[in-house]
Amino acid sequence: MSTENEGTEGIAQPAAPSVPPVPAPAPDGPVAPAPASGDAPGAPPHPPTAPAAPQTPAAPAQQAAAAPPPPYQPVAQPPYPAPAPQDTVGAAYPQPGPGDQGAGWPPQPPALPAYGTNGPAWGAPDHPVAPPRRRRSGVLIAAVLISALVAGGVGGGLGYWQANRSDDGTSTTLTAGELPKDLKRDPGTVASVAAKALPSVVTIQANSGGGGAGDLGGPPGRAPGGGTGTGFVYDKEGHVLTNNHVVDSAADGGTLSVTFSDGKEYAAEVVGRAQGYDVAVLKLKNAPSGLAPLPLGNSDRVVVGDSTIAIGAPFGLSNTVTTGIISAKNRPVASGDGSGGRNSYMSALQTDASINPGNSGGPLLDSRGAVIGINSAIQSTGGGGQSQAGSIGLGFAIPINQAKNVAEQLIKTGEPVYPVIGATVNMVDQGEGAEITSQGVDGTALTPNGPADKAGLKEGDVITRFNDKPIDSGPTLIGEIWNHKPGDKVKLTFERDGKRNTADVTLGQRTGDN
C-alpha cells in the first residue's frame, strides 16, 4: 500500500469530467445566468437551474449519501487549464477487493459543494487540488543534486586537468608498495657496528683429547677437555685475543681451530697465556691476507650508562650479537677453575648485555665499534662467576687497557708480567680492607727489599685505598694493582693501630704464573 496517500486510503473519489455533461431539459421558470467570464478565478460558479445529473457512484455509495456534506472550500483556479494529475484514480484511490468487505467499507461518498445537490457544474474540480509544492520541492531537490553532481564533476575534472598538467615526468611520489633500492643504516647503529665487527670475530674450538678444565662457560655435551669460546683479530699478522680459560685445555698437546663468520676455518696455536689475567694470544697457521683487526678503545674513559655490544658464540651459537650498557666500573671479580689455586683477578667492567657460556673471550664493543673489554665471566644463580647457567644480566669484562698490556707482553716474550707490591694479603675476609698477613703460600708477609717493605709497610697493616680507589678485600687490591704496569708509582692508604697512614710505592714485577 502506498504511503504517499496515507489517511485517504478507502476513499474513492470520482474523476472530474473531461467534457461538459449534457444538461437535462430546462424546467419552467427563470434560468440562472452562467458565470461571467470576468468573474474572479476561484469564485463559486452560479449553479444552473437544471444541472446535469451527476455521474452517480456505485450503489453502496448512494446509500451513504444522506451524510451532511462538508462546507465548500473554494480552490483558486489558474488562468490556464491545470495539468491533469499524474496519479490515476485506481492508483491514488484503490478500489475494494474481494477480501476487503468489512469494517470501513463501503467508503464514504465524495463531498458535494454547498451550492448544489446534484454535483458541481461542469469543468469545476470535484475535490480540492493541493498546490504543487511536492513537485516543486522535488524539482528543487533534483536541481540541487544535479548542481552538486555537476560541481563535483567540474571539481574532479579540474583536479584531473591540474594533475595531468603537473605530470611532467619529475614527480617523486612513491606508491605504498615501493621500497628504496638500497636500505642504508646510519653509522653507529647496532646493525652497522655488528656488520663491520663480525668478520673480525672468531669462534674457537679447543680440544685436548683428554680431561681438562676447558672453557668453563662452554656449551654442555662437549667431550671432556674440549670447549667452545670466542676471540677476535688483534692484528694483521694473524694474532687472536681471547681468554686463557678458553684455550687452557688445549695449551699442552691439544688442538685449536678458529672459524670466521664466513665459515672459513683455520688451525691455530697458543703464543702465550696469562692465567692470572685470564688472557691468551693465539696465532693462526697460514693466516689469510686482508685480516681486519678490531679497533681498540680506551676503557679508562668508559662511564656508567655507555652503550655496549657483545659478540660471541653462546652455547655454541656463533656470531651472536647482544646489547646493553655499562652497569658499573672497577668491579672486583675473581674467577677460576674451581681448584682454589688458579684464580684470575680483574677490576672488571660490568655490563647487562647478555653474556652466556661460549661468549668467553669475545669483544665487548662501545657504540663506535671499538673494543673496550674482553667478556670473561658471568654471575649466575648457580653459584660461581662461571657456570653452565645462563645470563641474569651480570656480565664482566676485562678492561681492554689491561688486556692490551698483557697481549703485547705475551706476543713479545710469551710470558705474562705482573706488577706487584711485594706483600701477601688476606684473600678471604672482606669489608675492612686488605690485611697484610704471613698466611700466604710461602709463609712470608713481605718480600724483603720489595716495594712494600721499602715503603715501610708491616705485617698486620690494613690497606684501605689504592690511589683514590677504596679497597675492601684482597682480590680488590690485586685487581687494582694489575691494572697498572711495573714501575708505576702509586699511593697506598693503610691503617696501623687505629691510625691512618699513607705511603708511596713503586710497583715491582713478577714474570710468569708460577
Side-chain angles (χ1 to χ4, degrees):
M1 178 183 296
S2 173
T3 59
E4 293 182 358
N5 299 290
E6 222 170 273
T8 61
E9 55 268 58
I11 302 176
Q13 297 285 358
S18 59
V19 296
V22 179
D28 294 336
V31 178
S37 60
D39 291 346
H46 298 287
T49 304
Q55 297 177 1
T56 59
Q62 292 177 356
Q63 296 176 4
Y72 173 74
Q73 298 178 358
V75 179
Q77 297 294 329
Y80 50 86
Q86 296 180 0
D87 293 338
T88 62
V89 174
Y93 307 102
Q95 298 296 325
D100 292 330
Q101 302 299 329
W105 290 95
Q108 295 294 327
L112 298 178
Y115 56 82
T117 59
N118 293 325
W122 69 271
D126 61 336
H127 60 85
V129 179
R133 293 180 181 175
R134 186 184 187 97
R135 178 182 301 275
R136 190 168 299 170
S137 174
V139 172
L140 179 60
I141 293 174
V144 172
L145 291 176
I146 292 174
S147 175
L149 291 174
V150 170
V154 170
L158 288 175
Y160 173 78
W161 173 78
Q162 180 65 25
N164 232 9
R165 192 165 175 263
S166 302
D167 188 8
D168 55 357
T170 61
S171 174
T172 58
T173 303
L174 299 177
T175 63
E178 293 183 6
L179 290 175
K181 294 181 179 180
D182 295 324
L183 182 58
K184 296 182 179 180
R185 293 176 174 83
D186 295 333
T189 63
V190 175
S192 176
V193 171
K196 188 174 181 180
L198 277 169
S200 300
V201 179
V202 298
T203 300
I204 300 172
Q205 180 64 48
N207 294 299
S208 66
D215 179 6
L216 298 179
R222 291 287 184 183
T228 300
T230 309
F232 60 92
V233 177
Y234 181 75
D235 57 28
K236 294 184 178 181
E237 284 70 35
H239 291 106
V240 173
L241 200 55
T242 186
N243 283 140
N244 173 68
H245 72 262
V246 171
V247 302
D248 184 43
S249 62
D252 297 321
T255 60
L256 292 167
S257 63
V258 170
T259 304
F260 284 82
S261 61
D262 59 3
K264 294 182 179 179
E265 184 175 347
Y266 299 88
E269 60 184 357
V270 176
V271 172
R273 57 194 186 97
Q275 180 269 325
Y277 293 122
D278 197 16
V279 173
V281 176
L282 310 181
K283 178 73 180 292
L284 301 180
K285 297 178 180 179
N286 302 319
S289 60
L291 290 175
L294 288 180
L296 304 182
N298 186 348
S299 54
D300 289 341
R301 302 184 62 180
V302 172
V303 299
V304 173
D306 281 352
S307 298
T308 59
I309 302 171
I311 304 179
F315 296 100
L317 302 174
S318 301
N319 310 315
T320 296
V321 178
T322 57
T323 63
I325 62 169
I326 293 294
S327 305
K329 292 183 61 177
N330 306 312
R331 185 71 74 190
V333 175
S335 61
D337 59 3
S339 65
R342 298 174 59 85
N343 289 333
S344 300
Y345 302 97
M346 69 186 84
S347 182
L349 298 175
Q350 180 180 326
T351 181
D352 65 347
S354 181
I355 297 175
N356 288 283
N359 276 102
S360 295
L364 184 68
L365 309 175
D366 62 14
S367 59
R368 304 168 303 163
V371 181
I372 55 175
I374 301 177
N375 300 319
S376 181
I378 62 173
Q379 179 66 46
S380 69
T381 56
Q386 294 173 337
S387 71
Q388 292 298 337
S391 171
I392 59 172
L394 297 174
F396 305 99
I398 303 168
I400 193 60
N401 288 9
Q402 177 186 4
K404 178 183 177 182
N405 293 336
V406 177
E408 293 294 337
Q409 189 66 37
L410 292 176
I411 293 173
K412 182 178 180 180
T413 66
E415 289 186 306
V417 176
Y418 297 93
V420 296
I421 62 172
T424 303
V425 296
N426 186 336
M427 300 298 288
V428 178
D429 296 334
Q430 183 176 356
E432 301 295 332
E435 180 183 3
I436 298 177
T437 178
S438 60
Q439 298 177 358
V441 176
D442 57 4
T444 303
L446 296 169
T447 302
N449 296 320
D453 187 26
K454 291 180 178 181
L457 277 78
K458 296 181 179 181
E459 182 178 358
D461 291 346
V462 179
I463 300 173
T464 58
R465 299 188 72 87
F466 184 92
N467 285 336
D468 59 345
K469 304 289 180 61
I471 302 299
D472 61 356
S473 65
T476 302
L477 176 62
I478 294 178
E480 288 297 332
I481 293 173
W482 287 357
N483 270 335
H484 291 74
K485 297 179 182 179
D488 289 348
K489 291 183 179 182
V490 298
K491 182 179 182 179
L492 298 179
T493 302
F494 62 93
E495 292 184 359
R496 178 187 296 170
D497 299 329
K499 295 181 180 181
R500 179 173 295 183
N501 300 276
T502 60
D504 293 329
V505 177
T506 300
L507 298 178
Q509 73 175 45
R510 172 172 64 86
T511 302
D513 285 314
N514 298 324

